Amino acid sequence: MLDKDTLVFFAKFIESQTGIAYSEVTFFQLEGRLETIAKQLGFPSVSALAQSALRDGIRGAMKDLVLDLATNNETSFFRDTSLFDALTQHVLPELARQHVHKTCRIWSAASSTGQEIYSIAMLIQELQKSMPSSSWELTASDISERVLAKASKGLYTQLEVQRGLSAQRLLNNFEQIEDTGDGAIWRAKSTLQKMISFKRLNLIESWPSTLGHFSLILCRNVLIYQTVEQKRLVLQQLTRHLEPNGLLVLGGAESLIGLSEEYLQEQVGSTYMYRLKPREQSQAS
Amino acid sequence: MQHVLIVDDSKAIHAYLQSLLEESGPRLSHAYSGEEALSLYPSLGAIDLLLIDGEMPGISGPETARALRGLAYKGPILMITTRNQAADIQHALDQGVDDYMMKPFTRDILMAKIDALKGVV
């Protein structure tokens, strides 16, 4: 068992680095996470880990793991194999063929720390080797300035790049840099970054009219946290920004049932997406 | 995934990997050096995954990987390393390693890496 002062020490460090606040009510959760880290680093006990931190500061591998566990990191590159297989094998090649003479626009709404949009950018770069005449514009948005700043800089820690990125893709798309002070030592190459524009956007507030239209919108694992009314509002707005016949991708556990009549569910590979119905068809239903 | 060969000079890493893989239940074989891995390999039967330490006394992880590829091992090789310099990673890939993981690593990273390698034959 760690004493309260030690837990406060770790909690303050985490809050200063990530904005995530542990209160006394959640200290037991923090302690559990520190016990896991103690094992990973080979400390005989969590007390030994704490002694080391108090003596030498929280840095290096300990810092990476503390911040990683604190953020309860669920996001990764190429998260959801069935989705990215569908994008690779079906959706992106089809969009490339349709957009030889015009730019294909893709939007990652609620992009968080950017792994989703950078994954798509990597796939497009790989596709462009065989379809060089395709032209792409990627947009990523999130409500949080903090995660958007991280995403726009394309900076990731060693642990983050190991989530979902093979060694070859890492070397092809990222460059190593000096530690930025918060553990980030890999940066997305400029060839990826210049494909993407990052915008702050709250999905349940009014949206800028300049957002434009997209062929593909990803809005994964966002609607599940909304009320029914908010879901309908967000969907209406997303629909206004989809091109005719455009595709909407939701999270694996989400669906449009009861929320919108404007889409047809379509199986793509082993996953499902939603194709915007032609106007007259959606009006008839 | 039925049979995993772990090659690492640290008994603690063998124990840690064993604890992480217990739930998925593959048979584990253990070698504590590259030399031992090469000596054991012909008698081990089919291996579905090789987990190999990048830095070992004697023959290194990448050199062991290269030698095992020379012995016609075609399955996936995941290297566990303390070095993450791009040149070291590329060198390992050139020797036949499929992917790498830095120490310390978390269970979810290990399992995701293994999952991604399942298509590698």
Side-chain angles (χ1 to χ4, degrees):
Chain A
M1 284 281 289
L2 293 177
D3 62 59
K4 186 176 156 187
D5 286 345
T6 304
L7 288 167
V8 167
F9 169 72
F10 277 101
K12 278 190 173 162
F13 174 78
I14 290 165
E15 189 170 2
S16 70
Q17 297 283 317
T18 67
I20 293 166
Y22 279 87
S23 65
E24 286 194 36
V25 171
T26 52
F27 271 0
F28 73 95
Q29 196 181 58
L30 175 58
E31 183 159 7
R33 288 176 174 165
L34 292 173
E35 282 169 1
T36 305
I37 293 172
K39 280 187 202 149
Q40 284 164 344
L41 291 173
F43 284 97
S45 66
V46 69
S47 302
L49 171 94
Q51 278 167 23
S52 172
L54 289 164
R55 184 184 63 236
D56 303 324
I58 302 173
R59 52 196 177 83
M62 188 192 297
K63 179 180 174 182
D64 279 355
L65 287 171
V66 166
L67 296 184
D68 194 69
L69 282 194
T71 54
N72 197 22
N73 206 328
E74 291 177 354
T75 189
S76 68
F77 293 92
F78 300 94
R79 185 176 169 208
D80 186 353
T81 314
S82 57
L83 167 64
F84 282 95
D85 283 347
L87 290 176
T88 306
Q89 290 159 24
H90 304 286
V91 177
L92 293 177
E94 180 192 330
L95 288 174
R97 281 189 289 273
Q98 292 167 355
H99 290 83
V100 172
H101 301 297
K102 49 183 176 158
T103 301
C104 179
R105 302 185 77 230
I106 297 176
W107 179 23
S108 168
S111 62
S112 186
T113 41
Q115 281 92 331
E116 178 178 273
I117 197 66
Y118 281 116
S119 298
I120 294 171
M122 284 185 250
L123 288 183
I124 288 171
Q125 287 213 317
E126 287 164 19
L127 179 65
Q128 281 182 313
K129 289 177 192 163
S130 56
M131 301 178 94
S133 54
S134 55
S135 165
W136 306 83
E137 195 179 288
L138 308 184
T139 300
S141 68
D142 201 276
I143 188 177
S144 161
E145 296 274 11
R146 182 180 63 81
V147 300
L148 213 51
K150 178 183 167 75
S152 65
K153 290 174 194 162
L155 293 172
Y156 297 95
T157 66
Q158 183 61 47
L159 283 169
E160 285 170 332
V161 299
Q162 293 191 141
R163 288 200 168 87
L165 271 183
S166 68
Q168 196 60 70
R169 269 201 174 126
L170 175 64
L171 293 180
N172 289 348
N173 295 284
F174 290 78
E175 54 196 5
Q176 272 179 313
I177 57 170
E178 291 293 318
D179 190 332
T180 54
D182 61 354
I185 54 168
W186 292 93
R187 178 171 55 212
K189 287 184 178 172
S190 58
T191 46
L192 281 191
Q193 289 198 55
K194 67 184 184 194
M195 293 173 72
I196 308 168
S197 60
F198 291 90
K199 299 179 194 304
R200 189 184 174 276
L201 182 67
N202 183 338
L203 292 174
I204 57 172
E205 287 177 357
S206 61
W207 298 4
S209 57
T210 51
L211 201 52
H213 290 80
F214 300 89
S215 301
L216 173 66
I217 299 178
L218 298 100
C219 187
R220 298 199 291 155
N221 305 313
V222 172
L223 297 183
I224 50 174
Y225 299 109
Q226 312 294 333
T227 63
V228 172
E229 271 319 297
Q230 285 170 336
K231 285 182 206 194
R232 289 204 177 111
L233 175 66
V234 171
L235 274 169
Q236 276 169 19
Q237 303 213 81
L238 286 172
T239 304
R240 271 190 225 121
H241 289 276
L242 254 184
E243 285 176 355
N245 220 33
L247 276 172
L248 174 64
V249 176
L250 302 181
E254 297 174 304
S255 98
L256 293 184
I257 294 173
L259 296 173
S260 176
E261 298 292 326
E262 296 190 78
Y263 293 85
L264 287 168
Q265 192 183 58
E266 197 170 289
Q267 183 168 0
V268 186
S270 59
T271 192
Y272 290 91
M273 299 185 183
Y274 292 91
R275 177 90 59 188
L276 186 60
K277 289 180 193 172
R279 282 274 170 248
E280 52 285 352
Q281 195 176 345
S282 66
Q283 281 164 355
S285 58
Chain B
M1 186 182 64
Q2 295 183 339
H3 184 193
V4 178
L5 171 60
I6 303 173
V7 186
D8 197 305
D9 61 315
S10 159
K11 286 187 178 160
I13 287 288
H14 281 262
Y16 182 49
L17 286 169
Q18 185 156 346
S19 71
L20 296 183
L21 292 170
E22 254 164 3
E23 219 173 280
S24 36
R27 177 163 70 96
L28 299 180
S29 292
H30 301 267
Y32 296 88
S33 68
E35 291 87 343
E36 188 181 355
L38 293 173
S39 160
L40 281 176
Y41 178 73
S43 61
L44 286 177
I47 295 172
D48 302 301
L49 172 66
L50 175 62
L51 295 173
I52 189 162
D53 183 6
E55 296 80 51
M56 292 183 286
I59 308 174
S60 71
E63 286 167 338
T64 307
R66 185 175 163 185
L68 285 169
R69 292 296 189 205
L71 293 175
Y73 172 68
K74 291 187 169 45
I77 301 178
L78 177 61
M79 189 172 79
I80 303 171
T81 179
T82 54
R83 292 195 194 136
N84 68 345
Q85 293 304 303
D88 293 318
I89 301 168
Q90 189 61 60
H91 172 70
L93 294 176
D94 292 340
Q95 302 310 305
V97 168
D98 293 296
D99 204 350
Y100 89 108
M101 196 167 57
M102 275 282 285
K103 293 175 191 173
F105 52 90
T106 57
R107 184 177 190 280
D108 69 295
I109 290 175
L110 172 67
M111 300 316 291
K113 289 278 183 186
I114 289 176
D115 211 47
L117 285 171
K118 277 182 184 158
V120 173
V121 173

